[in-house]
Amino acid sequence: MKTLLCFGDSNTWGYDPATESRLDVHTRWAGVLRDTLGADWWVIEEGLNGRTTVHDDPVEQDGRSGLTYLTPCLHSHKPLDLVIIMLGTNDLKPRFHVPAIDIASGVGRLVQIAQHSQTGRDNTNPDVLLICPPPTVSLESSRFVEMFAGAYEKSRLLAPHYRTVAEELGCHFINAGDVIVSSPLDGIHFEANEHRKLGEHIAAYVRQHFG
């Protein structure tokens, strides 16, 4: 059995924009991925609400930086065959004041950590699949409108930069914006049907590229 780690934020955790609670294990995309891949893969969910790429959040609770948590996380779950990283949405918050290219550079640091972590089988390095989160939709009626001010425009600039990072670092890449859309209910999270589409799409990619 191969092992796959999903490292992300509230959209990997499974935040439901309709209820503001957590979607069940078979509905959130990592669970759909596990169910679709079947017995050949063990899928580990490591989603955390508010997680950023490399930033310590001055407002949220401690421990939200992916940079400080990724290495111990990788070693906790080794040996790993594949690490999926989907982060960057929370970096859009104006409190961090970073352009899209810096968000991509931040997630690139995480890719490099995984690529050199020696947390694969026999102390090799796991493969990495970088996923660019889909753009936000209109936040005008969202409770996150102030928290994510400016995100609508900036989120549309992420995918080309993420693709460049993936090419430069030699990792696999999926643009989630080609597959799903964020919910109009709050502008940033995924509804259940989008989780299913994303999970099934990733499963097909994993089967094609990683057996």
Side-chain angles (χ1 to χ4, degrees), residues 22-37:
R22 192 179 193 184
L23 294 165
D24 73 79
V25 66
H26 298 292
T27 301
R28 49 191 188 255
W29 71 261
V32 173
L33 175 62
R34 182 188 302 115
D35 292 342
T36 305
L37 289 176

Side-chain angles (χ1 to χ4, degrees), residues 70 74 83 85 110-117 119 125-126 128:
L70 180 57
L74 293 170
V83 177
I85 299 173
L110 303 184
V111 170
Q112 290 177 300
I113 289 171
Q115 287 179 322
H116 298 90
S117 63
T119 55
N125 297 312
V128 179

Side-chain angles (χ1 to χ4, degrees), residues 13 50-51 55 59 74 85-86 108-109 111 114 137 154 160 182 188 195:
W13 183 80
R51 178 175 282 150
H55 306 289
V59 176
L74 293 170
I85 299 173
M86 184 171 69
R109 287 192 66 188
V111 170
V137 297
K154 190 184 296 185
S182 300
I188 60 174
H195 273 273

Side-chain angles (χ1 to χ4, degrees), residues 6 29 40 43 82 87 118 139 152 168-170 189 194 201:
C6 302
W29 71 261
D40 292 336
V43 177
L82 176 62
L87 285 170
Q118 296 183 315
L139 294 157
Y152 181 87
E168 290 177 346
L169 298 179
H189 293 109
E194 303 301 289
H201 183 84

Side-chain angles (χ1 to χ4, degrees), residues 156-172:
R156 280 152 180 76
L157 305 175
L158 292 178
H161 294 303
Y162 274 54
R163 186 181 300 275
T164 297
V165 165
E167 290 172 352
E168 290 177 346
L169 298 179
C171 73
H172 293 262

Side-chain angles (χ1 to χ4, degrees), residues 144-155:
F144 298 113
V145 61
E146 291 186 69
M147 186 185 298
F148 282 86
Y152 181 87
E153 296 79 9
K154 190 184 296 185
S155 66

